[in-house]
Amino acid sequence: MPEVRATSVAEVQEAVRLYPRLRPRGGGSKPALSTPREGEVGLDLSGLRGLLEYTPEEFVFTAYAGTPLSEVEEALKAHGQYLPFHPPLKGRGATLGGTVASGLSGPMRYRFGGLRDFLLGVRFVDGEGRLVRGGGKVVKNAAGFPFHRLMVGSLGAFGVVVELSFKVFPYPRVTRTLRVRLGSLGEALAALERLRSLPLDLLALDLLPPATLEVRLGGFPRSVEARLKGIQELLGQEGEVLEEDEAHWEAVRDLAFLEESPVWVKVPAGLGRLPELETLPLERRRYLAGGELLYAGTDPEGLKALRQRGLPHLVLRGAEEPLFPPPPQGFFARVKGALDPLGRFPLG
């Protein structure tokens, strides 16, 4: 497939005006979303990278869309800060722009919320090559309608994101992870529901089927140890405590547990839907954010089962059509028509 590389905003605008059908690509960590289809030209944004502004005392930064998450997190770490929505696939080369376009958040979204809650503003090139701004660069912003949030999970349908601004948080002084194996899926779901209902201030709360819970805590050392002991008492067992848990959660956010599967899929879950999901022919899987989000490996049969049940999902790797169901035509079509009237970008 043909490809054009842009290293400046002006080159992105030129590409949009020149080619009738474009598919943006950052680090290529989600090939089902970034691989050009027949008739499309790939728009490589990996050269549009770098931090533009970073004010640690204000907990905000602005960067080009092609900036790898690893570069951003290295800069933030130097000041004891991080992206609390814990964007996935950092170790596989994911970029800020691709993360926003796919709307992905990772395990530690449980504590403070998902990507949408931390995005302050964007600049993007619309379907006619115009440079458009949505939102701002500061936390206190009276910009009115949060236009910039339309870009979260849009899959590039409304424009090519070229610049993004985020707010960040201080990283916890220490972290610990408790791994507890329960007797059955029913016991695990009951424990999960109880943990969700209590003010325990958890960084992450994941379920590994059939019945293992992983709980991550963070904060000051004495507080973390006290809360860890309280959760052990609540669950009725000491479980396994990971004192050095960073590498473990980095592997989780990189979806290393899906490595052997040909198809990677993200599915909105929730405790009520989880028993049904467990009957499907999926492979390795993990429920994040207290059971609200499923990342699973599968094959074409598993993907077919999801669609036959009418379960919405997003494929990150291994399928031609990544989004099911297609976006609702009412609101989506009107926004698409305003920002991309010639249909240069994916979806529609």
Side-chain angles (χ1 to χ4, degrees):
M1 296 289 179
E3 185 172 273
V4 59
R5 189 168 191 262
T7 58
S8 69
V9 173
E11 288 179 355
V12 173
Q13 292 178 285
E14 182 182 357
V16 168
R17 291 175 179 134
L18 187 61
Y19 298 99
R21 189 76 178 171
L22 281 169
R23 183 171 292 264
R25 176 183 182 276
S29 59
K30 300 169 278 291
L33 308 179
S34 62
T35 302
R37 279 38 168 189
E38 186 69 31
E40 295 180 344
V41 172
L43 177 57
D44 180 2
L45 297 172
S46 62
L48 188 67
R49 63 197 291 174
L51 277 172
L52 294 167
E53 300 175 31
Y54 176 30
T55 314
E57 60 271 24
E58 298 289 339
F59 294 91
V60 296
F61 76 87
T62 297
Y64 282 126
T67 311
L69 295 173
S70 56
E71 285 187 19
V72 173
E73 293 202 350
E74 186 176 350
L76 297 178
K77 190 175 182 180
H79 295 275
Q81 299 176 355
Y82 77 123
L83 288 163
F85 59 93
H86 210 202
L89 303 170
K90 183 195 82 170
R92 299 181 188 271
T95 62
L96 280 178
T99 298
V100 169
S102 57
L104 298 185
S105 301
M108 288 205 291
R109 64 167 288 177
Y110 184 76
R111 174 66 180 86
F112 294 109
L115 187 158
R116 194 182 303 270
D117 300 303
F118 295 90
L119 182 65
L120 296 174
V122 301
R123 286 205 307 165
F124 66 95
V125 176
D126 74 4
E128 296 187 274
R130 299 172 297 193
L131 188 60
V132 181
R133 176 180 292 282
K137 296 182 177 181
V138 296
V139 174
K140 291 183 178 179
N141 180 22
F145 181 74
F147 184 64
H148 55 292
R149 292 182 177 174
L150 283 174
M151 294 296 156
V152 179
S154 67
L155 305 184
F158 304 138
V160 183
V161 176
V162 294
E163 181 185 305
L164 306 108
S165 298
F166 286 91
K167 62 180 176 182
V168 300
F169 274 24
Y171 197 81
R173 293 288 182 88
V174 300
T175 59
R176 296 283 186 275
T177 295
L178 174 65
R179 181 181 294 147
V180 176
R181 294 178 174 82
L182 298 164
S184 66
L185 176 63
E187 286 184 36
L189 289 177
L192 200 59
E193 189 168 12
R194 192 172 184 194
L195 290 171
R196 285 166 47 124
S197 68
L198 297 173
L200 297 172
D201 197 15
L202 308 177
L203 289 178
L205 175 59
D206 288 7
L207 167 64
L208 291 71
T212 297
L213 297 183
E214 287 190 352
V215 183
R216 194 180 196 193
L217 302 99
F220 291 101
R222 289 182 63 181
S223 166
V224 169
E225 295 307 324
R227 285 185 285 139
L228 179 61
K229 185 177 180 182
I231 293 172
Q232 289 171 321
E233 291 175 352
L234 183 73
L235 296 176
Q237 58 174 288
E238 292 187 355
E240 177 187 0
V241 178
L242 307 183
E243 299 280 345
E244 302 293 334
D245 62 356
E246 192 68 30
H248 170 70
W249 289 100
E250 286 301 296
V252 172
R253 73 186 294 195
D254 280 341
L255 308 181
F257 56 99
L258 304 183
E259 194 64 59
E260 304 301 323
S261 300
V263 179
W264 296 10
V265 63
K266 181 190 107 173
V267 185
L271 295 188
R273 182 178 283 176
L274 202 146
E276 179 186 8
L277 289 169
E278 282 302 288
T279 67
L280 299 178
L282 303 177
E283 299 172 357
R284 295 289 300 275
R285 70 199 82 173
R286 186 181 185 101
Y287 296 90
L288 279 62
E292 293 296 322
L293 177 63
L294 166 65
Y295 282 105
T298 186
D299 57 20
E301 284 303 308
L303 200 57
K304 182 179 177 182
L306 278 169
R307 297 188 180 207
Q308 286 178 337
R309 297 284 187 97
L311 295 170
H313 56 268
L314 177 68
V315 180
L316 307 180
R317 173 174 295 186
E320 180 76 11
E321 294 298 330
L323 184 64
F324 179 87
Q329 283 305 299
F331 179 75
F332 173 84
R334 293 181 67 180
V335 177
K336 179 81 172 174
L339 296 176
D340 182 25
L342 299 178
R344 295 184 189 276
F345 306 131
L347 296 181

